Amino acid sequence: MSGDFSHVLRGEGFTWPAVPLRVYKNDGSPHRDITRRTLLGDAPGEAALDFEVRYFELQPGGYSTLERHQHPHAVVILRGRGSVILGERVETVAGGDCVYVAPQCFHQFHADAGEVLGFLCVVSRERDRPVLPSDEELARLRRVPAVARLLRV
């Protein structure tokens, strides 16, 4: 069938050999030991998708950038355990957990349980750029002990 781009993307464990491993960010924002792969949304024929499915992996001690966006995130933890800052609270997460990150909520994922933390993140294809916290917002977050313990900026 002409134009049928349906396909299966084969995985091996928590890798997908046909999908390039990418640097998480190169914009100078603070993060550590994190990689990403765009599993769905980049391949030929997938431009019609309104979303992207990305896989992020944090090595033990790694963390994502503390940031917020206008767009929501849907996150499914696939492997490991860790923590996530969601605004002014911290939640522990483990394989099978689902996390909804609401628009404009500061968030940061941490592999702070001594193991790899791997998760799928589904976001809109058309999305805004991340916003880092202002000095005032950062000071407010640092006043919350559970958040201050994890905060990396």
Side-chain angles (χ1 to χ4, degrees):
M1 188 173 182
S2 178
D4 182 357
F5 290 101
S6 300
H7 62 278
V8 173
L9 178 63
R10 302 282 179 205
E12 295 175 8
F14 294 98
T15 64
W16 293 263
V19 179
L21 186 64
R22 295 184 177 165
V23 172
Y24 169 62
K25 293 183 178 183
N26 59 6
D27 62 2
S29 61
H31 60 277
R32 181 174 152 201
D33 294 334
I34 181 171
T35 57
R36 73 178 172 100
R37 294 178 194 264
T38 301
L39 302 180
L40 297 169
D42 272 356
E46 294 178 353
L49 290 175
D50 292 336
F51 58 87
E52 288 183 354
V53 177
R54 303 171 302 166
Y55 177 73
F56 291 88
E57 196 164 90
L58 289 82
Q59 295 305 306
Y63 52 88
S64 62
T65 301
L66 177 69
E67 61 192 20
R68 63 181 168 85
H69 318 265
Q70 182 55 44
H71 61 275
H73 294 33
V75 174
V76 179
I77 307 298
L78 292 185
R79 70 186 294 203
R81 294 176 298 125
S83 300
V84 60
I85 296 172
L86 293 171
E88 294 186 8
R89 70 182 195 278
V90 173
E91 299 281 347
T92 59
V93 292
D97 290 345
C98 298
V99 179
Y100 173 70
V101 180
Q104 299 301 340
C105 178
F106 280 110
H107 56 283
Q108 186 176 48
F109 287 85
H110 292 263
D112 61 346
E115 56 192 271
V116 171
L117 179 65
F119 55 89
L120 293 176
C121 179
V122 180
V123 293
S124 173
R125 173 183 292 285
E126 300 299 323
R127 56 190 184 275
D128 60 309
R129 303 292 305 158
V131 176
L132 301 178
S134 66
D135 290 343
E136 181 180 299
E137 290 166 324
L138 200 50
R140 185 183 75 240
L141 290 169
R142 285 191 169 128
R143 287 193 288 270
V144 179
V147 173
R149 176 182 66 80
L150 281 179
L151 208 54
R152 302 289 182 263
V153 290

